[in-house]
Amino acid sequence: MTDQVLRDQFGRGIEYLRISVTDRCNFRCLYCMPLEGMQWLAKRDILSYEEIADIVGQLAPLGLRRLRITGGEPTIRPDLPALVRMLRAIPGVEDIALSTNGVKLPALAAPLREAGLDRINLSADSLREDRIIAIARRNLGLSPIAAAQAAEDAGLGPIKFNVVVMRGINDDEVVDFARLAMEHPWHIRFIELMPVGDMRELTFEHVVPSDEILGRLAALGTLTSDEGPRGNGPARYFRIDGSPGTVGVITPMTHTYCGTCNRVRLTADGRLRTCLYGDHEVNLRDPLRLGEPMEPLFRRALAEKPKEHQLLQMQVGGLRALSQVGG
Ligand code: SAM
Ligand code: SF4
């Protein structure tokens, strides 16, 4: 194991890589993808599992210790456990997590755990069947509770939920979601909607500030600040009256957490992005395919990592959707 720490130009330690394995998805969430007209990457442009493992293998000795597999929906890429197995075998990799909408978890949780996955984040914006379908704009029989249970039974803990809160669409379920943290050792994180990508139906009016969410949760009991589950996220956590799980808020819109950002992203087509939003990307795929080393490219990208994102200055629809940048 290495105790080397990679630092960017502002001295932030960088130890966390989010890896997008596909830009495609079996959902079309209101806030993420338009119903029609997505332009998909061609298969030859997407990194193979071997290429992803090659990149991580070259970067892990520099101090990259934590990985998250994301997308698009990562579980729709064939044989995802094979990638997890390759990543698990890389010395220095301490933690491998997965972000998923949960549709395939009942079938995949056990093989993913066996392959070496540590934990999952489950995106779930409603607990009501009709709403799940209305927000995802697909009816794939998803039950977030069953998906979380399958992950828990397979040993993929701690289980974190990501709930994107949208005014007038699902904000009346905040308390129902929080109750899950009072009944299970689950961590329910409420995310402020980011007006990005091609969101024809949503505007800034749909953003619910985290302070308002916390105000509503106070109806359930006393919220005590908590360090939350292990992981590396930007969430602020609270425990309600000693419950087994926690509730948290992620506040890209109302409070910036860029000062403690410890992450970079690898897109499905092999671009290293040092900020979720902004035009800072370095093509790793083409040099990799030519046999060039990754370290100098990685260091150059970190030297250009911006101080903070520009989300609040952007127009709605002016930025790439999270599914395209490995959100
Ligand atoms: N498909 C997987 C999933 O849904 O978990 C992984 C990719 S998805 C892009 C990653 C996370 O980004 C999800 O939790 C999703 O809710 C969140 N997300 C996507 N678009 C967003 C937006 N406009 N505002 C806030 N969160 C968003
Ligand atoms: Fe797919 Fe995740 Fe985007 Fe929803 S948020 S459309 S599940 S990539």
Side-chain angles (χ1 to χ4, degrees), residues 31 70-73 99-100 123 162 164 192-194 196 322-323 327:
Y31 48 75
T70 180
E73 175 50 41
S99 287
T100 176
S123 297
N162 285 351
V164 177
E192 288 172 349
L193 172 71
M194 292 183 274
V196 298
L322 263 68
S323 63

Side-chain angles (χ1 to χ4, degrees), residues 128-253:
R128 290 173 36 177
E129 198 184 337
D130 57 333
R131 274 203 192 155
I132 293 172
I133 297 167
I135 295 171
R137 297 184 292 185
R138 289 284 188 275
N139 183 0
L140 300 179
L142 169 68
S143 156
I145 308 282
Q149 204 66 64
E152 188 170 81
D153 293 348
L156 291 169
I159 311 281
K160 297 182 191 169
F161 279 66
N162 285 351
V163 184
V164 177
V165 184
M166 294 165 278
R167 194 179 300 286
I169 295 181
N170 66 347
D171 60 329
D172 56 344
E173 289 190 67
V174 161
V175 163
D176 294 341
F177 269 109
R179 281 208 183 92
L180 292 178
M182 301 175 80
E183 291 157 12
H184 306 264
W186 296 346
H187 306 279
I188 314 294
R189 297 116 50 87
F190 298 101
I191 305 181
E192 288 172 349
L193 172 71
M194 292 183 274
V196 298
D198 191 347
M199 300 196 312
R200 286 167 204 175
E201 272 99 321
L202 301 172
T203 68
F204 278 99
E205 310 277 295
H206 289 94
V207 176
V208 182
S210 62
D211 291 348
E212 188 178 329
I213 295 169
L214 291 173
R216 293 192 201 181
L217 298 184
L220 286 170
T222 309
L223 269 65
T224 314
S225 239
D226 195 276
E227 77 176 28
R230 80 189 149 90
N232 338 277
R236 279 188 294 139
Y237 289 99
F238 303 86
R239 211 170 278 275
I240 306 172
D241 289 341
S243 50
T246 61
V247 291
V249 286
I250 301 181
T251 58
M253 300 304 290

Side-chain angles (χ1 to χ4, degrees), residues 2 16 53 61 63 67 85 87 89 102 116 136 144 151 158-159 195 215 229 245 273 288 327:
T2 174
Y16 178 32
L67 306 175
R85 221 169 287 118
L87 297 175
I159 311 281
R273 292 182 67 92
L288 182 81

Side-chain angles (χ1 to χ4, degrees), residues 17 47-61 83 86-87 90 266 284-285 287-295:
L17 178 69
L47 294 177
S48 67
Y49 288 166
E50 288 73 15
E51 287 172 328
I52 293 172
D54 191 352
I55 292 174
V56 174
Q58 292 193 49
L59 300 183
L83 174 66
M86 289 179 199
L87 297 175
I90 296 172
L266 183 64
L284 296 186
R285 182 196 65 201
L288 182 81
R289 289 181 179 172
L290 292 170
E292 291 173 24
M294 296 292 101
E295 178 174 347

